[in-house]
Amino acid sequence: MTPTEKTLLIHQQPENSVRLRSALEAAIHYGGELEPVLLDEFMNDPAAFLRGRLHVVSLLTSSELSQLLREAHRYRFSVGLLPAKDKSIICRLFNIAEQIEDAVPRALDPAKAYPVDLLLCNDEAVIWTVLIGEAPFITMRQHAYEKKPLREQVNEFIASIPNLAKLKPFELSVSTEKGQRIETAVTGVLVIENDIETLAANLINESISSQDGKLSAIFLAPSSVMEFLNFLMIAIYCKLRAVSHLPKAVGYIKSATLELSSPNTLSYAIDSRQRKADRISLKTIPQGIAINVGERYKAAHRVIHDDAKDTAKIKPLRHSAAHINRLKKRMPFFSTAVESDFKDLFLMLRDNAKLSGPYISLMILSSMLATFGLYLNSSPVVVGAMVLAPLMGPIVSLSMGILRNDSKLLRSGMTVFGIGVALGLFVSIITALLIPYEQLTGEIRARSQPSLLDLGVAIISGSAAAYTHAKATLFRTLPGVAIAVALVPPLCSMGIGIAWWDWNIISGTGLLFLTNFAGIALAAAVTFLFLGYSTMFRVNRGLGLSLLLLFLVSVPLYHSFANTAIHSRITNAINAKTYKVNDKTIEVDDVEVVSISEKVRLSVKLHSSDPLVSEDVAALRDYISKQIERPVLLDASFSILQ
C-alpha cells in the first residue's frame, strides 16, 4: 500500500493515546494503514487532506463526530466509526463494537458504508436528538432502563422528580414543510434522529427511521406536573401503545423540515450540547451521509409500509388562547380546566341539582324496592334499588359547590338531596308499618354495623363518581359506582328501624348513611380538584361542615372497626372447635358475636351425641370465658348426634 492510499484517521486523541495506538496497530493487522489527523487540522482544509479519498475513519466523541459528518456531506466521503472512549454512545447508536480491535475491520471497509439521513439543526449535524425546553427522564433509553434492577429503576424515577420543578411552558410557533402553522405552548420538544430507543418514542409507537427522509418531533404540552408524570408512566410501561391513541397533550410531527420560533429566546440542546437561538431550523437531507454501521442498526431503521409519509398528529396540543395563557404561567401540580373543558359538566351538575318529577318517582320506587328487598333478605332486589336510586347526582353536584365555593350549586344540591332523603325515609317507614311482621334479616343486620371499611368504600366510590361525571365516555359506568356504595338501602333500613322503634337499627344504619354521604361528598370534591376544576380548596362553610361530619362519623366507625376485629378473633378461636365438658364431647358451630360490653354475648350451636343439660352449658361457658379471657353470656341451641 502506497502512502497516498492510507485511510485518514480523524481523531482528537493525544499521540500517546492507548486507543490511537490500538487503532493504528489493528489496521496493520487487518491489512490496512491509517494516517492519523487531528480533527481541528482536518476542519481547516478538508480537501487538502482528502486528496480524492472517499472514506475516512473516525475516532471521535459524538460532539466531535457532528463536525465531521457535516463535512462528510459536503465532500461526499463515507465514515467508519471507532469508539473514542469506554461506553461510547457512538457504539450504542450505530451498533459498533466497543473494543477498538473488533471495530476496526468494519470501519476500514468502504463497501460497508450505509447511507443514512443527515439531520441539521441550525446547520449543525445531529447525531442522536435535539431537545428544546425540558423533558426530565423521558429522554432516557428504554433498554438501558429496563436492564436495571427494579430498585434502581424506582430510585432513578424518584431522583428525577425534583427536575419536574424545571418544567416551564413556553409559547411556540411551529411551521411544517407543507406550510402548516401551529401556535401552541409546550414544556419540551424532542426531535429524534438515530436514538430511536428513547422512552419518549413509546408515547407515539411510530416507526422512526434514519432512512425515511423525515425527522420525528414529539411535542410535550402537559398542563400540570401530574399530567407529565402520566407521560412518564406511559413511556415506561406502555411501550406498545397504539399511535392512534396519543396521550393527552402529546403531539407528533414527521416532516422533512420544521421551523420553530418563540417570542423569547429558545434554549435547546443538540446531543446534550447547550445552545440558544431565537429561531430553530430543522432540516433532513435524505441519505445525506454514509456510515459504517452494524447489522442491528440496519434492521432497526429499515423503512417499512408508510414510514416515509408526512405525519401531523397535533390535535392533542393546546391551541386556544386560554390554554396558552394558562400554560405560559408557572406549571401547576394539578391541571386547571378552562371553560371549554367543564361547560358540559357544569350543565350536567346543575341539572342533577334540580328537583324534577323523574327524580321524585325514582326515589319513591327505589325506596319501595329497597324496603321489600331488605324484608325478603334478597341481595339482587337490593342491588336493583341501588341502581334505580338517584341520590348520587345531587351529592356530586354539592361536592362541586363545596370545591368552588358555589353557594347556589351547594344549596340546590343539598335541597334536592334532603328531599330525596325525606322521601326515602317516609316511603320505608310507611312500607314497614304496613307489613304485619318484624323480622331482622341478614340484609338489615349487615347495614347496622358499619366500620371504617365502609368509609373507605364511600371515599373510593365518591372519587369514581366524580371521575365518571367528568369523563363523558365513562358515564355508562356510573351504575356500577352506585352499586359499590349503597345509599338507599341503609336509608330504608333506618326507616324500618324507626317503624319498629329499634334504636340499634336506627343508630347503626343512620351512621352508615352519614358515612356514605360524607365520604362521597369529600372524595368527589378532592377528585374534581385533581382534575383541575379548581386551583385549590376554598375555605367555606360547606367544606368545614363536611370535614366536621367526616370526623364525627369516623369516631364511632373506628370503635365499630375495633369491635369487628375482636369479633373476628373470638369467632376464629371458638368456631368449629370440640370441647370436653363433664365427660361429654361438645362441638361448637355457627358462632356469632352478638355484642361486646362488660360481657361478650355469643350465639352458638352445640352438637353432641350425649344429652346436654344446663350444667353442661354453664361449664362450657366458663371454659370459653377462660379461653378468650372475657366474661361470656352464651345463647345456645342444641343438636343431638345419632
Side-chain angles (χ1 to χ4, degrees):
M1 180 178 289
T2 63
T4 58
E5 293 176 326
K6 290 182 180 181
T7 302
L8 291 178
L9 174 62
I10 313 299
H11 71 98
Q12 287 287 63
Q13 304 274 335
E15 291 298 327
N16 61 349
S17 165
V18 173
R19 287 185 176 273
L20 180 58
R21 292 201 308 269
S22 296
L24 296 173
E25 293 169 2
I28 294 173
H29 175 75
Y30 288 107
E33 192 171 358
L34 294 172
E35 178 184 342
V37 177
L38 288 171
L39 176 63
D40 295 339
E41 296 177 359
F42 178 82
M43 294 298 292
N44 287 333
D45 192 358
F49 284 98
L50 288 169
R51 296 193 300 274
R53 283 177 281 200
L54 299 177
H55 184 73
V56 305
V57 174
S58 160
L59 186 64
L60 300 171
T61 63
S62 61
S63 59
E64 297 161 350
L65 180 61
S66 173
Q67 302 176 53
L68 182 64
L69 293 184
R70 192 71 181 85
E71 299 306 313
H73 169 67
R74 183 175 300 164
Y75 290 96
R76 311 305 299 173
F77 61 83
S78 57
V79 180
L81 301 175
L82 297 177
K85 59 182 181 179
D86 291 335
K87 298 181 179 180
S88 171
I89 194 171
I90 298 297
C91 298
R92 172 173 73 80
L93 291 177
F94 299 104
N95 186 217
I96 302 301
E98 294 185 0
Q99 300 299 321
I100 290 285
E101 296 79 4
D102 299 328
V104 162
R106 182 179 295 274
L108 284 173
D109 189 355
K112 294 185 182 295
Y114 185 69
V116 298
D117 298 339
L118 175 63
L119 175 61
L120 299 178
C121 177
N122 285 355
D123 214 34
E124 190 173 348
V126 178
I127 305 295
W128 27 304
T129 58
V130 178
L131 175 62
I132 305 158
E134 296 289 343
F137 192 82
I138 212 166
T139 55
M140 274 191 58
R141 184 173 172 246
Q142 175 80 35
H143 292 327
Y145 182 75
E146 289 179 342
K147 287 180 180 178
K148 296 178 181 179
L150 179 60
R151 184 175 180 180
E152 287 188 26
Q153 291 182 14
V154 173
N155 289 340
E156 195 160 347
F157 183 84
I158 293 174
S160 70
I161 291 178
N163 293 329
L164 298 178
K166 298 178 181 178
L167 292 174
K168 187 176 181 180
F170 56 92
E171 196 168 348
L172 188 68
S173 297
V174 184
S175 299
T176 66
E177 181 185 25
K178 294 185 177 181
Q180 188 174 15
R181 188 174 179 84
I182 306 158
E183 299 292 338
T184 186
V186 299
T187 58
V189 181
L190 184 67
V191 183
I192 300 175
E193 179 55 20
N194 292 295
D195 199 3
I196 63 175
E197 295 178 351
T198 59
L199 289 169
N202 294 337
L203 296 172
I204 57 168
N205 196 30
E206 178 86 7
S207 296
I208 299 174
S209 171
S210 64
Q211 284 202 312
D212 58 10
K214 311 289 180 183
L215 60 87
S216 292
I218 300 170
F219 296 81
L220 304 178
S223 55
S224 67
V225 172
M226 284 297 296
E227 197 164 59
F228 188 84
L229 289 174
N230 181 55
F231 293 167
L232 293 189
M233 301 308 295
I234 293 172
I236 295 170
Y237 299 111
C238 303
K239 58 184 177 182
L240 297 180
R241 190 183 182 97
V243 69
S244 58
H245 299 95
L246 282 172
K248 182 181 178 182
V250 173
Y252 175 69
I253 294 178
K254 177 184 281 189
S255 177
T257 64
L258 275 183
E259 294 287 335
L260 308 178
S261 61
S262 178
N264 302 312
T265 301
L266 291 169
S267 296
Y268 64 104
I270 301 178
D271 302 335
S272 295
R273 303 188 300 276
Q274 297 299 318
R275 302 285 188 267
K276 287 188 177 183
D278 296 328
R279 175 178 290 272
I280 298 175
S281 177
L282 295 155
K283 177 183 179 182
T284 302
I285 302 175
Q287 300 187 8
I289 51 176
I291 304 176
N292 291 28
V293 299
E295 297 303 319
R296 287 204 307 272
Y297 178 94
K298 295 178 183 179
H301 289 263
R302 185 177 65 242
V303 178
I304 56 176
H305 304 305
D306 297 328
D307 287 354
K309 290 185 177 180
D310 282 6
T311 302
K313 298 181 180 294
I314 56 175
K315 286 185 178 180
L317 296 179
R318 314 277 186 170
H319 299 97
S320 70
H323 274 129
I324 291 176
N325 289 334
R326 287 180 183 273
L327 286 173
K328 285 164 61 178
K329 298 177 181 179
R330 181 179 177 84
M331 177 70 69
F333 191 78
F334 298 111
S335 300
T336 303
V338 294
E339 184 179 355
S340 59
D341 291 331
F342 55 71
K343 182 178 179 181
D344 292 339
L345 172 61
F346 269 70
L347 290 174
M348 181 195 306
L349 294 180
R350 289 193 179 98
D351 287 341
N352 288 344
K354 291 179 180 178
L355 191 63
S356 63
Y359 176 83
I360 294 174
S361 300
L362 284 177
M363 197 64 230
I364 293 173
L365 292 173
S366 63
S367 300
M368 292 177 65
L369 190 62
T371 305
F372 283 123
L374 293 167
Y375 265 95
L376 292 170
N377 200 35
S378 173
S379 296
V381 176
V382 173
V383 169
M386 296 178 194
V387 177
L388 278 179
L391 283 178
M392 184 71 79
I395 296 180
V396 175
S397 296
L398 67 89
S399 297
M400 182 66 83
I402 290 173
L403 176 66
R404 297 182 63 85
N405 201 15
D406 186 333
S407 57
K408 184 178 179 181
L409 186 60
L410 177 59
R411 283 197 305 270
S412 58
M414 282 297 298
T415 300
V416 173
F417 176 72
I419 291 173
V421 171
L423 279 172
L425 281 176
F426 178 77
V427 169
S428 58
I429 291 171
I430 296 300
T431 305
L433 290 173
L434 293 175
I435 296 176
Y437 65 90
E438 297 181 9
Q439 182 178 353
L440 184 62
T441 63
E443 288 290 331
I444 298 175
R445 186 186 297 113
R447 288 166 175 82
S448 62
Q449 297 174 341
S451 70
L452 283 176
L453 296 178
D454 294 289
L455 179 59
V457 171
I459 289 172
I460 295 170
S461 300
S463 179
Y467 191 75
T468 52
H469 274 79
K471 307 294 181 181
T473 56
L474 300 176
F475 199 70
R476 62 183 180 274
T477 65
L478 193 56
V481 178
I483 293 172
V485 57
L487 287 164
V488 166
L491 179 64
C492 293
S493 297
M494 183 166 57
I496 292 172
I498 294 173
W500 295 353
W501 204 243
D502 187 322
W503 175 248
N504 288 330
I505 296 177
I506 296 172
S507 60
T509 55
L511 178 61
L512 177 58
F513 182 78
L514 287 176
T515 297
N516 289 342
F517 168 69
I520 293 172
L522 271 180
V526 172
T527 302
F528 282 135
L529 173 67
F530 286 0
L531 293 175
Y533 293 98
S534 181
T535 55
M536 59 187 295
F537 268 128
R538 295 175 172 85
V539 178
N540 57 75
R541 184 180 300 176
L543 176 60
L545 291 176
S546 299
L547 289 171
L548 178 61
L549 179 59
L550 189 67
F551 173 76
L552 291 176
V553 300
S554 296
V555 176
L557 289 175
Y558 175 78
H559 179 70
S560 177
F561 182 75
N563 282 343
T564 301
I566 296 172
H567 289 194
S568 178
R569 287 197 296 269
I570 293 174
T571 302
N572 292 335
I574 301 170
N575 197 43
K577 297 293 191 301
T578 301
Y579 297 88
K580 194 75 173 179
V581 177
N582 297 336
D583 295 327
K584 296 177 182 179
T585 302
I586 304 175
E587 183 181 344
V588 179
D589 201 359
D590 292 343
V591 177
E592 181 181 350
V593 182
V594 178
S595 63
I596 296 178
S597 53
E598 293 182 2
K599 294 184 178 181
V600 178
R601 183 165 186 161
L602 302 177
S603 174
V604 300
K605 191 170 186 179
L606 307 180
H607 306 275
S608 178
S609 57
D610 301 307
L612 300 177
V613 296
S614 59
E615 288 79 5
D616 300 327
V617 177
L620 176 63
R621 178 201 62 203
D622 295 339
Y623 193 93
I624 293 174
S625 180
K626 290 180 182 179
Q627 181 183 355
I628 66 174
E629 299 179 345
R630 284 172 175 266
V632 170
L633 291 175
L634 201 61
D635 295 334
S637 59
F638 302 91
S639 174
I640 299 176
L641 302 176
Q642 300 294 333

